[in-house]
Amino acid sequence: MKLHIRLSYRPRVSRRLPLVLSFRSSRFGLCLTLTALATLVSSANAQEATPSAPADGTTIDLDAITVTATKAGERVYESLSASSVIDRERIETQIQPSSTADVLRLIPSVATQSAPGDPGIGINVRGLQDFGRVNVLVDGARQNFQREGHSAKGTFYFDPEMMKSVDVTRGPASSIYGSGAIGGVVSFTTIDAGDVLPDGAHVGGRVKGAWETNGNTPLLHGEVAARPSAMFDLLGAATWRNAGDYRSGDGSTVDYTAQELLSGLFKTRIRPTSDQELMLSALRITSDFENGLSTLYRTQAVADTFTAGYRWTPDSPIWDLSAKVYFSGTNVKQTTLEGITAGAVKTFDIGTVGLDLFNTSRFDAGAFRHELTYGGDLFQDNVETKDPFGVSDKLTPSGERLVYGAFIQDRVMFSEWLEVIGALRYDSYRLTDDDIENEGSRLSPKITVGITPWQPVTFYASYAEGYRAPALTETLIDGFHPPPLSAGRFFPNPNLKPEIAHNIEGGVNLRFDNLIVEEDRLRMKLGIFHNRVDDYIEQVFTRFPIPGGYQYRNIAEAVIDGFEAEGIYDAGSYFFGVAGHVLRGRNSRTNEDLVKVPPNRLTTTLGFRRYDGRIEFGTRVSLVGAKDNAEGFGFVGDPYAVIDLFANWRASERVTAGLIVENLFDRQYTEYLNGNPSPGFSAKASLSVKLY
């Protein structure tokens, strides 16, 4: 059994733990469980003559592979970029997420935004979000859903139970990952048959049940996989989660936060020969909930992602070919529940069809080793909005946008101490509806230099440019704000220019082994960056035509500076991790702060392993600083600290039990950019059983 305790820990937690009994009687059983766990661990520790070496798979995030950095794949702490990866092991043992936001907030310079009651999230990287500034991918398929509203303009629906890993590269350094990603790339990979079946097994499955106290939330998740031969495998998975309205830290119920999620995944891999692989996947996420500000709606959001990928890796240094076609679509249906328009239905439907094709050739030229990657990609967004009252279809207008590009990147290595990455990307777009046509193109360069004066330490510096075409909503929005609120008129802007990012950054990667004790490992990434975005697009008030209204315009030169740190020290029987950022963003023309730049944050994790890694438990402390002028932006910017606990007990190779405690001391707080306060004290118990 694997017991996950997510102990948001401070030095005196053990003394204060009994006081938790007085907070709520419902925590009595939890405290007994924690006490029993502590007793068990102490007993186990007393019996150990020497600290156990880390068991296979128990180390955390030390040598994960990032693909978004170069597409060829390289170790996170060796990549010459601000990249992070959270894998399935860490997700299962330390996080047990209720939403995708629970995972993303542990990555430096990544934040999320959600509307009250809506499980969809907007992903913010280095203060940039919405309208494709962050390229969000699921199994390589872009997630481009966007809708005009009072929260995030681009939202993303996902089931974290289907998450195998998330790979994040911050900044416009990943020019090979498509147009628009001036903030970064966030790539989710879903589970496959290899996550269910051990080597040698042909058929198997996994069943997981969980219960969360805050909101009285049950969860059921199941996976079935088959591997008839080395040439073929397939997976089917499904999740049901029914969350009630949760309580915030002050004990009050946050209305309209209940939701029901139902998801399904099918994935198969076919290997006709040893050097060819075909991958097909289909994912559907359905969320039902009630929400609304001035009007209450019953909302159903359905997100589909279908991919077909092919890879050819012959015994040749010239060919390492990958191709993928995909469709991703999100349909949001809202039914009015009150007032004179009760029963009216409006829909927002955005479908994206895309293609991604690239090849990597490897060769030597004298003393230099080359890894040349080249290819192209394209996608088309098709937006269709229907509103019987002719309001929402003006604010989120229907239309089409075609974006395509090509790139070439050469990664050159000399000896063991010098690495240079040079890249050039061409982007072009065309945006149309019945009355407006907008188009443009550009070449964007990138150069990165890495120097390793001695093997454990690598310094790198990079300059990269990015190009984001205006979105349909930014260009075509037209009409009046829907009643009962009266916020004026919205005007289209067919003359919007694309945003162009100029990013300079530098960093150092540290990789030390056997530093303090035998077989320990220290991995660390430190970096600074300066990103200037020309022709930054914001919605502003304009006085003309009279009586005035709102319009998206190229009004700002956005400048965002930051420092990021991420690392972990792992000695097998114990580990310590840190992740944090310091960010500042402003409009250099007015020196005013940028609204979307999140506050400074530091997250630390302290954990322990016993019984050869079968028991893992620890604590996580998240410290978030104040956000100046937050109230003027319409958000809450108060500082806060949150303590979580995690424990995992792997009873056998087939049975795992987990316990997560979030917001241990019932802190009342609201994440910046969100409209609702965050949940108060919450405990989640889980049990998973593998069958094979």
Side-chain angles (χ1 to χ4, degrees):
M1 273 170 100
K2 219 172 173 183
L3 189 58
H4 300 295
I5 294 185
R6 205 158 116 196
L7 278 157
S8 297
Y9 172 86
R10 31 168 102 148
R12 292 186 291 176
V13 162
S14 59
R15 298 180 188 174
R16 297 186 179 183
L17 203 55
L19 297 179
V20 179
L21 293 173
S22 63
F23 291 172
R24 277 198 189 99
S25 60
S26 63
R27 301 187 199 172
F28 182 74
L30 172 64
C31 292
L32 289 179
T33 303
L34 293 175
T35 304
L37 175 66
T39 302
L40 175 63
V41 171
S42 299
S43 174
N45 202 24
Q47 296 176 32
E48 291 176 341
T50 59
S52 60
D56 290 342
T58 59
T59 53
I60 302 169
D61 226 12
L62 290 178
D63 296 304
I65 301 297
T66 172
V67 179
T68 58
T70 63
K71 265 193 175 175
E74 56 187 322
R75 299 185 185 277
V76 168
Y77 293 99
E78 295 176 0
S79 66
L80 307 183
S81 62
S83 297
S84 303
V85 175
I86 296 183
D87 60 19
R88 185 172 173 84
E89 174 74 12
R90 186 178 177 192
I91 293 169
E92 288 289 322
T93 59
Q94 298 183 28
I95 307 172
Q96 287 286 335
S98 299
S99 73
T100 310
D102 294 340
V103 179
L104 294 176
R105 68 169 60 98
L106 303 180
I107 299 174
S109 295
V110 178
T112 60
Q113 182 180 11
S114 60
D118 192 333
I121 62 170
I123 300 180
N124 180 305
V125 178
R126 289 183 172 177
L128 295 171
Q129 70 175 78
D130 296 333
F131 300 124
R133 293 184 177 108
V134 176
N135 187 1
V136 180
L137 306 169
V138 173
D139 289 336
R142 295 181 70 112
Q143 308 295 306
N144 285 357
F145 180 74
Q146 53 195 248
R147 178 177 52 153
E148 184 66 24
H150 294 278
S151 186
K153 312 299 184 183
T155 52
F156 160 64
Y157 296 89
F158 192 63
D159 174 14
E161 296 296 327
M162 301 296 186
M163 191 188 305
K164 178 186 180 78
S165 65
V166 57
D167 184 351
V168 177
T169 291
R170 300 178 288 278
S174 204
S175 57
I176 57 179
Y177 262 88
S179 178
I182 62 174
V185 178
V186 178
S187 178
F188 296 90
T189 302
T190 58
I191 56 177
D192 55 39
D195 298 306
V196 179
L197 298 176
D199 292 340
H202 297 292
V203 179
R206 175 175 174 260
V207 178
K208 175 183 176 181
W211 178 270
E212 190 171 352
T213 61
N214 195 347
N216 296 325
T217 303
L219 177 144
L220 292 174
H221 173 77
E223 303 162 2
V224 178
R227 187 191 293 130
S229 71
M231 299 174 58
F232 175 71
D233 64 48
L234 57 88
L235 167 99
T239 303
W240 171 78
R241 181 175 184 267
N242 190 9
D245 292 333
Y246 66 74
R247 300 180 308 276
S248 62
D250 62 6
S252 60
T253 299
V254 183
D255 294 331
Y256 305 115
T257 54
Q259 58 163 297
E260 183 174 8
L261 177 143
L262 185 64
S263 68
L265 170 68
F266 174 80
K267 181 180 283 190
T268 182
R269 293 179 185 272
I270 304 170
R271 304 172 184 88
T273 63
S274 61
D275 58 6
Q276 295 186 79
E277 180 178 271
L278 176 66
M279 190 274 288
L280 305 173
S281 70
L283 173 67
R284 165 163 285 195
I285 312 292
T286 301
S287 298
D288 289 282
F289 52 94
E290 294 181 1
N291 72 327
L293 294 177
S294 57
T295 303
L296 183 62
Y297 297 99
R298 176 72 179 182
T299 303
Q300 182 182 65
V302 179
D304 291 320
T305 302
F306 304 99
T307 67
Y310 172 77
R311 188 170 184 189
W312 182 44
T313 55
D315 187 15
S316 167
I318 302 301
W319 293 103
D320 187 344
L321 179 68
S322 293
K324 178 164 291 184
V325 293
Y326 64 85
F327 169 81
S328 63
T330 301
N331 177 277
V332 173
K333 176 182 176 181
Q334 292 188 315
T335 304
T336 307
L337 296 181
E338 58 187 11
I340 60 175
T341 61
V345 177
K346 57 183 177 181
T347 59
F348 304 85
D349 196 350
I350 296 183
T352 302
V353 178
L355 167 67
D356 184 10
L357 175 68
F358 68 94
N359 183 62
T360 299
S361 300
R362 298 171 177 87
F363 57 92
D364 295 338
F368 297 93
R369 290 171 289 132
H370 293 261
E371 188 177 84
L372 187 67
T373 302
Y374 44 93
D377 49 75
L378 66 84
F379 68 88
Q380 178 169 303
D381 289 332
N382 298 282
V383 181
E384 184 177 8
T385 306
K386 296 180 180 179
D387 184 349
F389 300 101
V391 177
S392 294
D393 54 353
K394 298 294 186 182
L395 302 183
T396 303
S398 302
E400 295 181 353
R401 182 178 64 149
L402 177 66
V403 179
Y404 55 92
F407 62 86
I408 184 170
Q409 173 182 276
D410 192 11
R411 182 183 177 197
V412 184
M413 289 154 282
F414 175 77
S415 186
E416 298 295 327
W417 65 272
L418 177 64
E419 180 178 338
V420 179
I421 301 174
L424 191 65
R425 178 176 179 84
Y426 171 78
D427 285 304
S428 184
Y429 76 95
R430 183 167 56 88
L431 184 154
T432 60
D433 78 339
D434 294 337
D435 304 313
I436 292 176
E437 181 169 328
N438 192 354
E439 58 186 0
S441 61
R442 188 178 192 273
L443 283 171
S444 301
K446 166 191 168 181
I447 182 71
T448 301
V449 178
I451 298 176
T452 305
W454 63 97
Q455 193 52 46
V457 180
T458 300
F459 298 93
Y460 68 89
S462 177
Y463 174 78
E465 295 183 3
Y467 180 78
R468 185 186 76 88
L472 283 161
T473 296
E474 292 172 303
T475 306
L476 305 177
I477 186 172
D478 190 7
F480 291 89
H481 191 287
L485 299 178
S486 179
R489 177 73 188 269
F490 295 87
F491 299 107
N493 187 353
N495 300 315
L496 274 178
K497 295 181 288 186
E499 297 174 337
I500 300 174
H502 310 263
N503 187 71
I504 302 172
E505 64 181 279
V508 57
N509 298 334
L510 307 176
R511 307 170 302 279
F512 290 96
D513 296 329
N514 303 312
L515 186 64
I516 300 176
V517 298
E518 188 177 354
E519 296 187 7
D520 69 351
R521 293 192 285 180
L522 172 68
R523 302 291 187 267
M524 179 70 71
K525 291 182 79 79
L526 304 171
I528 58 174
F529 72 90
H530 173 88
N531 192 9
R532 187 188 84 241
V533 183
D534 295 337
D535 293 318
Y536 186 77
I537 300 172
E538 279 191 337
Q539 191 179 86
V540 298
F541 182 80
T542 175
R543 297 184 181 277
F544 298 99
I546 297 174
Y550 293 89
Q551 186 179 50
Y552 284 100
R553 289 188 174 184
N554 300 102
I555 56 88
E557 181 183 78
V559 176
I560 304 175
D561 303 290
F563 167 77
E564 299 165 341
E566 182 176 28
I568 186 167
Y569 172 77
D570 195 318
S573 60
Y574 62 93
F575 56 91
F576 177 77
V578 62
H581 63 254
V582 176
L583 298 177
R584 190 199 170 194
R586 66 190 187 281
N587 179 345
S588 63
R589 297 177 184 173
T590 64
N591 209 36
E592 295 177 346
D593 290 341
L594 296 177
V595 176
K596 298 292 186 177
V597 177
N600 301 331
R601 186 178 70 222
L602 175 66
T603 301
T604 60
T605 303
L606 176 64
F608 303 89
R609 301 187 187 98
R610 295 295 181 266
Y611 287 133
D612 294 328
R614 288 191 291 115
I615 292 179
E616 180 177 303
F617 62 98
T619 177
R620 179 165 53 246
V621 179
S622 299
L623 306 173
V624 179
K627 176 66 177 178
D628 296 335
N629 302 324
E631 188 173 338
F633 298 147
F635 299 111
V636 177
D638 298 333
Y640 59 88
V642 177
I643 298 176
D644 303 327
L645 314 177
F646 61 89
N648 191 71
W649 183 11
R650 192 174 67 245
S652 68
E653 291 301 317
R654 302 188 182 190
V655 180
T656 301
L659 179 64
I660 301 293
V661 180
E662 296 179 325
N663 198 355
L664 177 63
F665 294 104
D666 229 359
R667 180 67 186 268
Q668 175 75 7
Y669 71 100
T670 301
E671 292 186 67
Y672 183 68
L673 297 179
N674 286 350
N676 281 335
S678 296
F681 175 93
S682 180
K684 179 193 291 184
S686 65
L687 179 68
S688 65
V689 179
K690 292 183 177 180
L691 307 170
Y692 50 83

